[in-house]
Amino acid sequence: MKRLVLLVTLAAAASAADNDTFLIRNADVYPVTSPVVHGASVLVENGRITAVGAKVIPPKNVRVIEGKGLRVYPGLIDSSTQLGLSEISGIRETVDIAELGVYMPQLRTIVAVNPESEHFPVVRANGITTAMTFPSSGNGNRIGSPERQVISGQAALIHLDGWTWEDMEVKSSAAMHLIFPFILRGRGINGNEGFAQAKRNYDRELEQLNSFFEQARQYQKAKAAARPDFKTDLRFDAMIPVLEGKLPVAITAERERAIRDALEFAAKQKIRIVLMESRELSKLAPEIKAKNIPVILGPTLDLPLSEDDPYDSAFTLPAELYKAGIKFAFGTFENEFVRDLPYSAAVAVNFGLPYDEALKAITINAAEIWGVANEVGSIEPGKLADLMVTTGDPLETPTQVKHLFIKGKEVDLTNKQTRLYEKYMNRP
């Protein structure tokens, strides 16, 4: 009986190993960090890429995937979503993106991720394997509101497949999210208060934010001193990696005034930052470049911020940042549009961004910005096998994803939409 159990266990282990060990052959491989290799093979063993090239000798009995006429790319990375946290925005019980409190750095997004979200299979079908999922405040535009969060918690970088959040984790704490205070241009925040009052509210919030950072520093010193009367505070404990420069602060700042103040705040507090969803960057580009601050851009298919802005201001912004030498990546910021991530990059190409840079903005640039370029973002030996096999260019809408791998495991590409399509196509 023991022998039978052992044989079954060994067979199961061998089967599991086979699932993440395979060879893709005769495909055009697009590593992103190096030139295209035509008619090449990619060998994956135990979930990691072990060889890439025209002459790869696989182990005996390895599973072979024929790639003739197909292309292999690294899985795409979306740098700002709420995947796993928000299912149906209009149904409160399915949304878990915020908690009560203005400063909540101790909140960890990763533990709230729902692996059964219907959003995951939908976006995987378009080649997206990894995403940053962010906490946020539903009242992020109400300066002076007691409900408004300023520090909403720790964003997580996750794979888009797994039984549990532990399976999905790439980096459980990839950034601290700060929604920077701002004032709507030329009027009070709610339209019924004067600009002067809105400015006073803004100044008060900024003073409180600086005060919170100072309290965190005092806590850091007290903890290091190991005083007998020291009491742990989870909020300030979570701030220590930020103060030590180990954890970047992802600052949501859209308008020029907010971006400028965010840069001054970061310099004063001596923290690493990533600018999120910033639009009015042109005048500040030299300073952003000089300080080596990366930017996460929102969808390029967006309207101008102001009525007198050029109609294509969002379309041309990626090319402007590229010319300024600023590292950037794309984020969709809303779950409904995550599957359109590659098309944000495609629009930018039509408005001046080099194609190779567009592809990097949804692969290796994102991995570098979030500190995981040694694991994902390109096709290189030693990295996790996050791969997509396509019929063509992933930035073009007719292209289909034929195979998708996350950590070397092939992922089912069916989803709610494909199930409904099959159901009604086969209707009697």
Side-chain angles (χ1 to χ4, degrees):
M1 182 66 180
K2 290 182 178 178
R3 184 180 178 185
L4 178 60
V5 171
L6 178 61
L7 289 173
V8 170
T9 303
L10 291 174
S15 176
D18 289 343
N19 286 339
D20 58 10
T21 298
F22 57 90
L23 177 78
I24 304 172
R25 70 180 181 191
N26 299 326
D28 293 337
V29 179
Y30 291 72
V32 175
T33 52
S34 58
V36 179
V37 186
H38 297 283
S41 297
V42 179
L43 178 61
V44 174
E45 297 179 278
N46 300 318
R48 289 190 178 270
I49 301 166
T50 56
V52 181
K55 297 180 180 179
V56 174
I57 301 175
K60 291 182 179 179
N61 301 320
V62 73
R63 180 166 64 107
V64 175
I65 298 171
E66 182 56 52
K68 189 173 183 180
L70 301 176
R71 301 182 182 186
V72 183
Y73 292 88
L76 307 184
I77 303 172
D78 192 319
S79 286
S80 182
T81 73
Q82 291 175 352
L83 288 173
L85 304 179
S86 176
E87 196 69 9
I88 304 172
S89 58
I91 301 179
R92 183 176 180 179
E93 290 77 8
T94 70
V95 178
D96 191 11
I97 59 173
E99 297 289 346
L100 294 176
V102 178
Y103 301 100
M104 305 295 284
Q106 77 278 15
L107 297 181
R108 299 173 62 230
T109 298
I110 188 72
V111 300
V113 169
N114 171 23
E116 297 301 316
S117 170
E118 285 285 358
H119 289 289
F120 290 134
V122 172
V123 301
R124 289 197 305 253
N126 224 18
I128 301 160
T129 56
T130 312
M132 283 287 286
T133 186
F134 274 87
S136 66
S137 169
N139 295 295
N141 63 342
R142 294 177 59 193
I143 293 293
S145 167
E147 304 170 70
R148 198 186 92 85
Q149 283 189 335
V150 177
I151 297 180
S152 61
Q154 302 168 42
L157 187 68
I158 59 173
H159 274 129
L160 303 189
D161 181 58
W163 285 99
T164 65
W165 64 260
E166 291 92 343
D167 291 339
M168 303 173 74
E169 175 186 346
V170 178
K171 197 171 187 180
S172 62
S173 182
M176 186 70 72
H177 188 208
L178 192 163
I179 305 166
F180 207 78
F182 70 97
I183 304 173
L184 285 179
R185 183 176 294 173
R187 59 187 174 89
I189 200 71
N190 293 319
N192 56 6
E193 64 181 353
F195 178 82
Q197 180 59 47
K199 180 65 165 62
R200 284 192 291 270
N201 289 338
Y202 170 80
D203 291 339
R204 183 177 67 251
E205 282 204 7
L206 200 53
E207 181 181 349
Q208 291 170 349
L209 178 59
N210 278 289
S211 176
F212 181 80
F213 268 76
E214 183 56 35
Q215 292 175 55
R217 279 202 170 78
Q218 295 301 322
Y219 176 88
Q220 180 188 25
K221 293 177 182 178
K223 184 174 183 178
R227 298 188 315 215
D229 60 341
F230 178 80
K231 293 183 180 179
T232 300
D233 186 311
L234 294 180
R235 293 190 311 159
F236 294 136
D237 240 25
M239 290 295 294
I240 291 176
V242 171
L243 301 178
E244 293 177 342
K246 296 176 181 177
L247 183 67
V249 178
I251 299 184
T252 297
E254 187 179 50
R255 301 275 187 174
E256 182 181 336
R257 182 201 297 264
I259 298 167
R260 190 182 300 278
D261 289 350
L263 295 177
E264 292 177 2
F265 173 80
K268 177 181 178 180
Q269 296 298 340
K270 297 180 174 62
I271 57 175
R272 290 196 298 128
I273 67 169
V274 178
L275 290 173
M276 305 287 295
E277 211 171 1
S278 301
R279 291 282 296 273
E280 296 179 342
L281 291 162
S282 299
K283 295 180 181 178
L284 301 171
E287 182 179 355
I288 294 170
K289 168 59 180 174
K291 294 181 177 179
N292 200 30
I293 296 172
V295 177
I296 306 302
L297 296 175
T300 49
L301 289 170
D302 208 349
L303 294 173
L305 283 180
S306 304
E307 62 182 14
D308 55 350
D309 286 344
Y311 80 93
D312 59 355
S313 57
F315 305 167
T316 59
L317 183 57
E320 291 174 16
L321 295 191
Y322 168 69
K323 291 174 184 176
I326 296 170
K327 179 167 289 187
F328 65 92
F330 288 107
T332 49
F333 292 87
E334 294 183 17
N335 288 353
E336 294 90 334
F337 305 109
V338 176
R339 65 179 302 166
D340 292 336
L341 174 69
Y343 311 135
S344 283
V347 170
V349 172
N350 290 332
F351 284 81
L353 182 66
Y355 174 86
D356 289 346
E357 295 302 320
L359 196 56
K360 287 179 180 178
I362 50 178
T363 53
I364 191 63
N365 282 8
E368 290 174 350
I369 289 170
W370 304 121
V372 292
N374 62 322
E375 290 283 79
V376 297
S378 62
I379 302 177
E380 299 178 75
K383 291 193 175 184
L384 291 172
D386 289 3
L387 305 169
M388 61 171 168
V389 181
T390 71
T391 58
D393 183 349
L395 303 193
E396 296 181 355
T397 52
T399 295
Q400 296 181 13
V401 177
K402 304 300 286 186
H403 302 277
L404 188 74
F405 302 90
I406 296 179
K407 293 190 292 186
K409 174 190 171 186
E410 186 158 12
V411 180
D412 185 3
L413 294 176
T414 60
N415 54 68
K416 184 176 181 180
Q417 279 74 17
T418 60
R419 291 194 297 270
L420 288 173
Y421 172 80
E422 294 294 338
K423 175 180 177 179
Y424 288 103
M425 282 297 291
N426 297 317
R427 183 180 179 183

